[in-house]
Amino acid sequence: MPEIVVESHPIDTVFRTDRLPHIFCPGCGIGPATHAYAQAILESGIPKDQHACVSGIGCTARVPGYMDVDSYHTTHGRSIPFALAIALVKPEMEVTVFSGDGDLFGIGGNHFIHAARRNVDINIICINNFNYGMTGGQAGPTLPLGARATTAPYGNTEPPFNLPYLAAATGAVFVARWTALHVRQLKEAMLRAMQKKGFTFIEVLSPCPVGFGSPNDIGDAIEEVWLYRERCVVNHDAYLPDLEIDLRRKDVPFVMGNFLDIEKEPFDPLAMMKNKGE
Amino acid sequence: MAAVLSRQPLDKATVSIPLGRIYIIPERCKGCRFCIDFCPRDVLVETTEMNAKGYHYPIVAEGKEDECIACQFCSILCPEFAIYTEEIVEEETAK
Ligand SMILES: Cc1ncc(C[n+]2csc(CCOP(=O)(O)OP(=O)(O)O)c2C)c(N)n1
Ligand code: SF4
Ligand code: SF4
Ligand code: SF4
Ligand SMILES: [Mg+2]
């Protein structure tokens, strides 16, 4: 049967189609991750008008602008304080922060650790493309050792953050890492995060052919995806300190999985105050 | 050299491989080739034609018309929401 040319997609119900096509470069991993998020919204059983999507600034941070849910494109690094406020004032909302590694862990790092510590009931989806994509490929807090960026032309000398380890250590109740190619596992992890009360964290290793691929001699997006695919191992029980990503050491795999899934009382200061007054 | 299978799955007679129909929105495609490279059945190829932005979108390869198994991997992977598939249901195929 030959292909049939059409004008719309069944997933369009979750998108603001008048804004499509999106601004992302060909093969950018933000697209598949957004698709997984849209699919998770559809399958979550939570009505669309009870989902909120919040971001800071960056390429990734453009995502809420395409979602047909309540969405907020906030200032650089400040997505988490906005999300926290929504979650506290409107507990019926399913609040998801969708933002980049630079936004969440560079300028916004302090918000992340304290929201995790308090176990605020929000989901964090971090597109980790190892660089500041939007502003021209600068080095960020996840750039692997030795990898090049426009501000690290001789190779990065700073040890990067190990994000799943950081999230688990600071208090998250669900922690996962997948690549942008693991769209099904990613969608399942997002669904689990939406079901859970408390602070959840999903890292998505994502190709950025422009900002990260090009200075690191990776030809195009598909080559970057193959590189991750070839080095990936899935180990849900991995020892989190071992999850560091080192591109130079071919003997060290990139470990994927749903690493942590625990129950803990979510942050609810309003309820605590009410109980005190009685 | 095709390997000859001497053993068959026990439920082979009752299980039928789904057949998929592929829908494409050419104007959304940015030619990343994800759908083409990662289709488990190698169903898709690039067109020689271009869309308005100059990208070669995917079409069904010659001879692969009945190969799509409607696994939907291309659909969920496509960064542009430019392709999806549907399983063709029994009654329809019987016609
Ligand atoms: C206060 C402030 N400082 C700096 C910037 C410039 N800036 C815009 S996006 C960005 C980094 C985004 O990186 P990341 O979060 O990794 O997103 P990506 O583009 O890689 O998806 C920076 C530094 C800004 N917009 N505002
Ligand atoms: S610069 Fe990188 S992160 Fe930004 S849209 Fe392009 S590929 Fe994606
Ligand atoms: S649905 Fe699966 S088999 Fe069919 S074209 Fe897409 S990836 Fe290939
Ligand atoms: S995955 Fe989507 S954007 Fe990429 S080539 Fe296929 S249809 Fe085009
Ligand atoms: Mg980034």
Side-chain angles (χ1 to χ4, degrees):
Chain A
M1 188 157 321
E3 68 285 342
I4 298 168
V5 170
V6 287
E7 286 188 348
S8 64
H9 192 292
I11 201 79
D12 283 356
T13 53
V14 197
F15 288 114
R16 302 179 195 201
T17 44
D18 56 325
R19 302 297 173 93
L20 297 178
H22 54 56
I23 61 158
F24 311 133
C25 307
C28 174
I30 300 171
T34 305
H35 200 149
Y37 174 55
Q39 192 66 36
I41 289 177
L42 279 181
E43 291 177 27
S44 67
I46 303 165
K48 213 171 61 168
D49 60 6
Q50 278 178 30
H51 281 273
C53 185
V54 189
S55 68
I57 299 290
C59 294
T60 312
R62 299 295 294 250
V63 167
Y66 301 114
M67 306 307 303
D68 190 27
V69 299
D70 280 357
S71 52
Y72 301 86
H73 189 187
T74 75
T75 51
H76 198 21
R78 313 303 161 205
S79 55
I80 289 177
F82 277 79
L84 182 154
I86 302 168
L88 289 187
V89 176
K90 291 202 168 281
E92 71 280 10
M93 295 296 288
E94 188 57 42
V95 184
T96 302
V97 169
F98 204 116
S99 217
D101 50 285
D103 184 69
L104 286 166
F105 294 98
I107 189 169
N110 221 39
H111 297 300
F112 182 91
I113 59 174
H114 292 290
R117 173 175 64 83
R118 294 166 174 146
N119 196 24
V120 180
D121 184 19
I122 56 177
N123 313 310
I124 313 281
I125 298 169
C126 174
I127 299 289
N128 183 4
N129 51 22
F130 310 113
N131 79 105
Y132 296 171
M134 175 162 271
T135 43
Q138 291 87 354
T142 59
L143 184 68
L145 268 173
R148 287 186 293 272
T150 45
T151 50
Y154 307 111
N156 182 28
T157 53
E158 300 175 17
F161 270 140
N162 166 344
L163 298 182
Y165 185 29
L166 175 71
T170 48
V173 293
F174 177 80
V175 176
R177 172 200 271 167
W178 295 101
T179 75
L181 186 68
H182 289 92
V183 270
R184 291 192 202 280
Q185 293 90 333
L186 199 52
K187 184 205 73 187
E188 291 301 325
M190 290 171 181
L191 274 173
R192 181 74 190 131
M194 288 172 186
Q195 280 162 6
K196 281 192 81 79
K197 283 266 160 240
F199 191 86
T200 69
F201 177 67
I202 301 171
E203 176 184 22
V204 188
L205 301 187
S206 183
C208 170
V210 180
F212 182 76
S214 149
N216 289 291
D217 306 322
I218 302 167
D220 55 13
I222 229 161
E223 194 180 321
E224 200 172 333
V225 174
W226 274 109
L227 181 124
Y228 297 155
R229 185 174 154 141
E230 276 156 16
R231 293 197 41 189
C232 264
V233 298
V234 176
N235 179 7
H236 301 298
D237 303 317
Y239 180 56
L240 295 180
D242 287 345
L243 293 192
E244 255 154 47
I245 286 171
D246 192 332
L247 291 177
R248 300 164 307 171
R249 291 196 43 202
K250 299 228 157 45
D251 57 315
V252 181
F254 297 168
V255 184
M256 305 295 132
N258 300 322
F259 306 119
L260 185 76
D261 192 335
I262 56 171
E263 299 302 324
K264 217 164 51 172
E265 198 59 33
F267 184 53
D268 193 354
L270 302 175
M272 278 179 84
M273 268 151 47
K274 254 186 228 146
N275 291 344
K276 238 186 164 172
E278 273 158 18
Chain B
M1 249 180 298
V4 181
L5 280 180
S6 52
R7 288 187 297 176
Q8 301 283 354
L10 286 173
D11 55 358
K12 189 169 181 267
T14 52
V15 175
S16 60
I17 300 169
L19 179 64
R21 183 182 284 141
I22 300 168
Y23 297 86
I24 291 170
I25 310 166
E27 288 313 315
R28 283 192 188 174
C29 174
K30 288 184 192 159
C32 70
R33 297 184 57 96
F34 283 3
C35 58
I36 297 170
D37 268 41
F38 295 109
C39 168
R41 308 276 286 200
D42 292 324
V43 171
L44 302 163
V45 288
E46 255 178 9
T47 39
T48 46
E49 261 152 66
M50 282 186 276
N51 67 13
K53 292 199 178 72
Y55 294 114
H56 298 284
Y57 52 91
I59 51 164
V60 175
E62 247 186 79
K64 300 275 184 164
E65 289 79 5
D66 296 325
E67 291 289 309
C68 172
I69 50 167
C71 70
Q72 300 187 347
F73 192 63
C74 57
S75 170
I76 185 160
L77 186 63
C78 172
E80 309 296 330
F81 332 119
I83 183 167
Y84 66 96
T85 59
E86 264 172 12
E87 192 179 329
I88 302 170
V89 284
E90 282 285 317
E91 296 81 41
E92 224 181 307
T93 23
K95 267 185 232 162

